[in-house]
Amino acid sequence: MYYLPEPPYFLMIAGLFVSLTSGAAFGATLQQIVQNWSSDRISSMSSQLPTVSLVVPFVGITIGVYLFLSAGLEVFGFPGLIAYAVALPLTLFLGILIWRQLGSMLTLAEKEGFAAIDIDRWG
């Protein structure tokens, strides 16, 4: 009988790969939405934010982070069930916080322009 290797290095690599590829798709989609929004400012940005083309890559990032984090906890000696149980609320909490931060940054950009969120001007 074949047993999966202990610890799950494959899940770490797969989670990292899923997160990176979903992140590239998320970045390209968000950039396209912001470009469309800045070219015609008739519609509000916050009404365009939760589109399926943006939510699906974000969920992919979240699933990849969940796999990476849970497998990472298993590498450090946590039992499988506990690693997944600890990684799930952490991943969901961070995903919700990042989604809300993205929404607030885009609302700020909508109200005050993109110069308000330019992080390079302070450096």
Side-chain angles (χ1 to χ4, degrees), residues 75-99:
V75 166
F76 285 110
F78 283 83
L81 189 58
I82 292 175
Y84 293 115
V86 168
L88 184 65
L90 282 173
T91 305
L92 290 176
F93 178 69
L94 289 174
I96 290 169
L97 283 178
I98 290 170
W99 187 261

Side-chain angles (χ1 to χ4, degrees), residues 4 17 28 32-34 39 42 44 47 49 57 69-70 72 76 78 88 93 97-99 105 110-111 120:
L4 291 175
F17 178 74
Q32 184 66 35
I33 288 174
V34 168
S39 66
I42 297 170
S44 133
S47 67
L49 186 59
L69 182 60
S70 60
F76 285 110
F78 283 83
L88 184 65
F93 178 69
L97 283 178
I98 290 170
W99 187 261
M105 286 180 69
E110 184 178 12
K111 289 180 183 176
D120 291 334

Side-chain angles (χ1 to χ4, degrees), residues 5 15 26-27 32 34 44 59 77 81 88 100 106-107 112-113 116-117:
F26 181 78
Q32 184 66 35
V34 168
S44 133
V59 169
L81 189 58
L88 184 65
R100 289 188 62 187
L106 291 176
T107 303
E112 300 180 21
I117 58 172

Side-chain angles (χ1 to χ4, degrees), residues 21-70:
T21 55
S22 297
F26 181 78
T29 305
L30 184 62
Q31 188 175 22
Q32 184 66 35
I33 288 174
V34 168
Q35 259 181 351
N36 291 344
W37 173 73
S38 64
S39 66
D40 64 340
R41 290 186 174 235
I42 297 170
S43 61
S44 133
M45 172 57 93
S46 55
S47 67
Q48 291 181 354
L49 186 59
T51 62
V52 174
S53 60
L54 196 61
V55 171
V56 170
F58 188 77
V59 169
I61 293 170
T62 307
I63 289 171
V65 167
Y66 173 66
L67 287 174
F68 184 79
L69 182 60
S70 60

